[in-house]
Amino acid sequence: MIAMMMEDRLVRDLPEKSEVSLDDKMLVEDIDGTKLAPVSSLRDMVMDKLIFENVEEMKSSSIDCDSFCMTLGYRKAGDGGGAYYKIVYQPTAIDDGGNYLYLHTSDVNRAKLISMDGSITPEQFGAYGDGTHDDSAVIAKCLKTDYETKFVTGKRYLISSPIEIPDKEYVYIDLNGCTLEAPPSAPEYGINGLLKASTESTLDNASLVIKNGCIDMKGSAGSPI
């Protein structure tokens, strides 16, 4: 065990501080030797190298394989699409807009979305949830992942065409107080017209759970779920 001496006392014997401030100093060792640097410099390095405003900024940065990073938004900070990613060697993984993203700086590495609680939001795949932009394709991609799809409370997701339920064992959708909104040109939309199976047997073999939201059929009353 290596113990650093300070004024004839071991560092481990010094009184423990309750908090670490940005003005505190830390020892850093690298090939150039030992350096004394403020804790704030570590924060600045992390903010500069591992935290990005949006997905495009992350994709344009040089990040080493096996590194973890995060975005503050999908298109801009605070738009609800912020996520954690791990840079992985996956040359065969296809960019689906969220689960895997191509990096402009590498042909073989991908940014893989990491969920902390087993769920993802459509915003992390680029959904708007403003009732104006068509979010059909984005939501369909979310359902194909291994994560549960959890929507954002109060938002309205415009669905211009039925969303395909993937052929997998378990599909969980938590509308979380949002509304799936069909366009005026499709008043027949309801739960039966909004979702469709990718194969005839899918809904027989899968466990499909949808809860905590509303389907707005425009011409008639919404259908709460």
Side-chain angles (χ1 to χ4, degrees):
M1 177 182 295
I2 299 176
M4 184 174 64
M5 301 295 293
M6 182 181 294
E7 297 180 356
D8 298 326
R9 291 182 296 170
L10 294 174
V11 170
R12 63 170 177 253
D13 293 333
L14 295 176
E16 182 178 347
K17 292 184 63 175
S18 58
E19 296 181 356
V20 176
S21 73
L22 294 177
D23 295 327
D24 288 339
K25 303 294 183 180
M26 62 180 180
L27 284 175
V28 179
E29 290 192 19
D30 59 17
I31 58 175
D32 296 326
T34 301
K35 305 172 184 178
L36 187 63
V39 172
S40 59
S41 65
L42 178 62
R43 179 203 60 178
D44 294 341
M45 181 190 71
V46 171
M47 291 291 292
D48 183 51
K49 301 295 184 182
L50 299 177
I51 300 179
F52 304 98
E53 287 287 313
N54 52 47
V55 164
E56 191 59 32
E57 183 178 291
M58 176 188 67
K59 292 168 65 174
S60 301
S61 301
S62 298
I63 318 173
D64 294 333
C65 189
D66 294 328
S67 296
F68 289 88
C69 60
M70 68 175 291
T71 57
L72 301 179
Y74 194 88
R75 295 179 182 84
K76 62 180 181 180
D79 65 8
Y84 295 97
Y85 296 88
K86 181 179 181 180
I87 308 305
V88 297
Y89 177 81
Q90 281 282 12
T92 60
I94 303 299
D95 188 332
D96 62 2
N99 196 40
Y100 283 101
L101 298 170
Y102 290 155
L103 301 175
H104 302 319
T105 55
S106 174
D107 293 330
V108 296
N109 292 338
R110 306 285 186 259
K112 177 172 174 53
L113 188 149
I114 303 296
S115 171
M116 296 301 175
D117 62 359
S119 69
I120 56 173
T121 67
E123 281 73 12
Q124 292 173 324
F125 279 64
Y128 288 89
D130 58 4
T132 301
H133 292 85
D134 183 4
D135 290 324
S136 305
V138 170
I139 295 173
K141 290 178 180 179
C142 290
L143 298 184
K144 292 179 181 179
T145 71
D146 293 331
Y147 298 121
E148 299 172 354
T149 302
K150 187 173 185 178
F151 289 74
V152 178
T153 303
K155 287 198 172 185
R156 302 182 72 88
Y157 299 85
L158 182 64
I159 310 299
S160 66
S161 58
I163 298 172
E164 185 175 280
I165 299 299
D167 191 4
K168 62 180 186 178
E169 182 179 358
Y170 181 71
V171 180
Y172 182 90
I173 304 173
D174 185 354
L175 296 181
N176 195 28
C178 81
T179 297
L180 299 186
E181 183 173 316
S185 59
E188 76 279 4
Y189 273 27
I191 188 61
N192 293 327
L194 191 72
L195 303 171
K196 67 177 182 179
S198 58
T199 66
E200 291 183 359
S201 62
T202 298
L203 295 184
D204 292 331
N205 297 333
S207 176
L208 174 62
V209 178
I210 308 175
K211 66 177 185 178
N212 298 333
C214 179
I215 293 177
D216 187 345
M217 297 179 291
K218 291 293 186 181
S220 60
S223 300
I225 298 174

